[in-house]
Amino acid sequence: AGREIPGFFDYKMLPLEGFWWMEGLCGMDYARKADFQWISVIRLPDFITQEDFDWAVIEGGRKKQMDLSPVTLWRHREGLCVQCMHKGPYDAEPETVRTMDAYALEQGCALDFSEARRHHETYLKDPRKSAAENLLTVIRHPVRRQAD
């Protein structure tokens, strides 16, 4: 409302995503959940520019009377990864992760975690509205092809 955006079309809000990491560790140690670091993101359509985003942050902050200055527009390129649909509670993810990481190795790939490439989750079900056993989470791990 109040701004013309070139190329705008109505779109469905995409699900919440999270990028997770642990300082000084390649991958995740699920026994140390208190040490998890994370950021949450919501994907935006490509027609949104930095200027559009900056305007929305200012307007949203004004309307909600909130400081939204920490919110940033972040461009991410996933790269080669292995992914799996995890069904069930978040606490059961380690078994799914072990399975997908083993699959990546069988396919000649090595895990490729770095500051730019992290454990990535897309939350397809809202935990406030779904039983834990029905949660759906797409889990992605960055990989690279191993040299033959």
Side-chain angles (χ1 to χ4, degrees):
R3 183 173 177 94
E4 290 288 324
I5 299 175
F8 177 84
F9 58 87
D10 285 332
Y11 65 94
K12 182 179 180 202
M13 182 65 78
L14 294 166
L16 181 69
E17 299 183 45
F19 289 85
W20 296 80
W21 70 96
M22 298 178 83
E23 295 297 331
L25 184 66
C26 180
M28 304 295 282
D29 179 352
Y30 289 93
R32 297 177 24 214
K33 285 185 180 181
D35 295 335
F36 284 1
Q37 302 287 315
W38 54 271
I39 59 171
S40 293
V41 300
I42 296 176
R43 191 173 300 217
L44 296 173
D46 290 337
F47 61 75
I48 299 295
T49 66
Q50 183 68 54
E51 293 76 25
D52 298 325
F53 184 83
D54 293 343
W55 172 85
V57 168
I58 292 167
E59 282 297 300
R62 183 183 62 75
K63 287 180 181 176
K64 297 289 186 180
Q65 298 183 357
M66 296 174 66
D67 176 15
L68 298 180
S69 62
V71 178
T72 60
L73 180 62
W74 179 56
R75 304 259 183 216
H76 178 70
R77 198 172 281 277
E78 191 83 56
L80 188 63
C81 64
V82 61
Q83 75 176 15
C84 186
M85 175 71 74
H86 171 76
K87 182 176 182 185
Y90 301 133
D91 285 342
E93 284 183 11
E95 183 178 341
T96 299
V97 166
R98 282 190 296 275
T99 300
M100 62 189 259
D101 289 350
Y103 175 80
L105 292 173
E106 290 169 9
Q107 300 304 308
C109 294
L111 297 176
D112 192 28
F113 290 101
S114 69
E115 193 161 318
R117 305 194 71 208
R118 296 181 166 151
H119 175 98
H120 181 182
E121 298 184 357
T122 303
Y123 309 103
L124 302 180
K125 296 260 185 142
D126 186 336
R128 299 170 298 176
K129 299 176 182 176
S130 299
E133 63 270 12
N134 294 325
L135 292 174
L136 295 174
T137 308
V138 177
I139 303 172
R140 293 183 192 94
H141 276 182
V143 297
R144 60 178 164 71
R145 299 237 182 258
Q146 293 187 47
D148 292 318

